[in-house]
Amino acid sequence: MRGRDLVSILDLTPDDLERLLEVALGMKRDGPGRLLEGQTLALLFEKPSLRTRVSFEQAMRRLGGSALYLSGPEVQMGEREPARDVARVIARMTQAIAARTFAHETVLEIARYADVPVINALTEEEHPCQALADLLTLRERLGALGGIRLAYVGEGNNVARSLAYASVLAGIDFVCASPEGYGLPAEVLERCRHLPGGGRVEQTVDPQAAVAGASAVYTDVWASMGFEHELSDRIEHFRPYQLGEALLEHAPGGALVMHDLPAHRGEEISDGAIESDRSVVFDQAENRMHAQQAALALLLAEG
Ligand code: CP
Ligand code: NVA
């Protein structure tokens, strides 16, 4: 994988994904090793972040390298100078770029112009690093991923899309339950049908049917960053999709509760669900660091 970009989960083959999870598990168990001594990762973030920033900064530090945080107001990408110039300048002085942007096209443009690996740290279309941590969490808790059922309740957004793609590659049966008009786009469902890996993706409006037989139930915010103004109009449509006690009655007793965080208790998830014994949300958060250590090592250090 050395020298490649990770803009989408679709940049990975099933073998890449499997290898990345194996490396992440090994690094979590034994420590990552100082594989990136002297290397710097630029973090180019147009939106706020807790987990993504901390996990990338710590991952680089633990690998012997360093991270350089560049905020939206500082760089003013697209205003002070175009993304393609920002990409080429940063690439002259660092060894990789992790970019969190509004438009997915911006990360694609950065990847086109930067001749160092570019990692998508969240766009409106995808959140691949989150999906890697989520699969690592499922792998730790459930063992082999092939054939498990993963239910996602909520908007077919960036998190859902990356998770759907990653699920197919890992052989997971992924079911997304969303209000009418808020599901995964048709082209995403179509793309999933043609991916290798053996998993399947299904879209439904029925949250109770979705969670039946699921090994894990996942949710994310009802209005993503940049769409907060739509929340008040959405709430009534999304209320039946809350990951709470009522919905969990339809899931197996041991089904894991998952959320990428930050969570809005009382909206997409109940306080009881997130605080329950079956909740793995903080494992998911920690696993961001382990999964990204593996990704950075494979993209930057692999021989
Ligand atoms: N899950 C996640 O990406 O969190 P942040 O937005 O805080 O980075
Ligand atoms: N879907 C959310 C994820 C936050 C980590 C957003 O884009 O705001």
Side-chain angles (χ1 to χ4, degrees), residues 48-53 100 127 130 225 260-262 288:
S49 169
L50 175 66
R51 282 144 289 273
T52 307
R53 179 176 176 179
R100 168 169 286 205
H127 197 2
Q130 183 66 51
M225 289 182 274
D260 50 293
L261 303 178
R288 293 293 306 275

Side-chain angles (χ1 to χ4, degrees), residues 47-48 51-52 100 121-124 126-127 130 152 155 157-160 220-228 259-262 288:
K47 302 182 193 179
R51 282 144 289 273
T52 307
R100 168 169 286 205
L122 181 147
T123 64
E124 283 168 3
E126 277 212 52
H127 197 2
Q130 183 66 51
Y152 175 98
E155 190 188 15
N157 61 12
N158 47 4
V159 168
D220 182 26
V221 292
W222 290 342
S224 287
M225 289 182 274
F227 295 88
E228 291 91 345
H259 193 305
D260 50 293
L261 303 178
R288 293 293 306 275

